[in-house]
Amino acid sequence: MSSNYSHILEALPYSQPFLFVDALNTVSEEGCTGSYQFPANSFFYEGHFKDHPVTPGVILTECMAQIGLVCLGVFLLNSSGRRSGVEATRVALADSNVTYLQPVYPEETVTVVSEKVYFRFGKLKCKVKMLNASGETVCHGEMSGMVVG
């Protein structure tokens, strides 16, 4: 995990096997980028396309939400001075509209890029996309969540 943003990563309300953030690369008031590598032994590959495992879309959506929405929400709450610390932040996904374009296979590393649309009245909305190692868009969409400090 990235040490520059360790305070954000420590504040995430997830743990293994449901943590889909390896590193945060950039975080600002306007968005963030981060990455995750899907381990081949992940629980969701067993039986998801017999003899040809593919990462389920719901897991891709969760990875996009954790990096692109929750990490950004933690940063925004902490930078606004409203809250700080691990206990302070709760985020609930309120809405997502994602288009899937390409499969993601075991051991692939993806990069998630989010762009803040707005953050007001505790609701964060972002445009989020996931890229594969070749820089091709795997999926994209809009997500919103309620951020409570």
Side-chain angles (χ1 to χ4, degrees), residues 99-125:
T99 301
Y100 305 95
L101 303 170
Q102 296 189 52
V104 173
Y105 299 108
E107 298 300 322
E108 275 197 72
T109 298
V110 295
T111 299
V112 174
V113 179
S114 76
E115 176 186 333
K116 180 182 76 176
V117 175
Y118 64 79
F119 179 48
R120 60 179 174 261
F121 305 116
K123 187 171 184 179
L124 175 61
K125 183 173 185 176

Side-chain angles (χ1 to χ4, degrees), residues 39-142:
N41 63 349
S42 297
F43 69 93
F44 46 81
Y45 288 126
E46 188 174 330
H48 192 255
F49 294 111
K50 195 192 274 186
D51 302 322
H52 191 67
V54 175
T55 309
V58 68
I59 300 295
L60 298 178
T61 300
E62 182 65 24
C63 180
M64 289 171 63
Q66 287 186 18
I67 295 172
L69 195 67
V70 180
C71 288
L72 181 58
V74 169
F75 173 80
L76 292 172
L77 278 178
N78 289 341
S79 68
S80 71
R82 288 169 49 187
R83 297 289 181 182
S84 64
V86 176
E87 304 300 323
T89 306
R90 286 181 240 124
V91 181
L93 183 64
D95 185 43
S96 66
N97 182 6
V98 178
T99 301
Y100 305 95
L101 303 170
Q102 296 189 52
V104 173
Y105 299 108
E107 298 300 322
E108 275 197 72
T109 298
V110 295
T111 299
V112 174
V113 179
S114 76
E115 176 186 333
K116 180 182 76 176
V117 175
Y118 64 79
F119 179 48
R120 60 179 174 261
F121 305 116
K123 187 171 184 179
L124 175 61
K125 183 173 185 176
C126 297
K127 292 181 181 179
V128 186
K129 64 182 173 181
M130 179 180 283
L131 308 170
N132 62 21
S134 299
E136 301 166 314
T137 302
V138 169
C139 50
H140 63 88
E142 287 191 344

Side-chain angles (χ1 to χ4, degrees), residues 1-23:
M1 288 190 190
S2 171
S3 61
N4 292 341
Y5 302 109
S6 60
H7 63 288
I8 295 172
L9 298 172
E10 290 168 6
L12 294 177
Y14 314 104
S15 63
Q16 295 299 334
F18 214 75
L19 176 64
F20 301 110
V21 183
D22 285 335

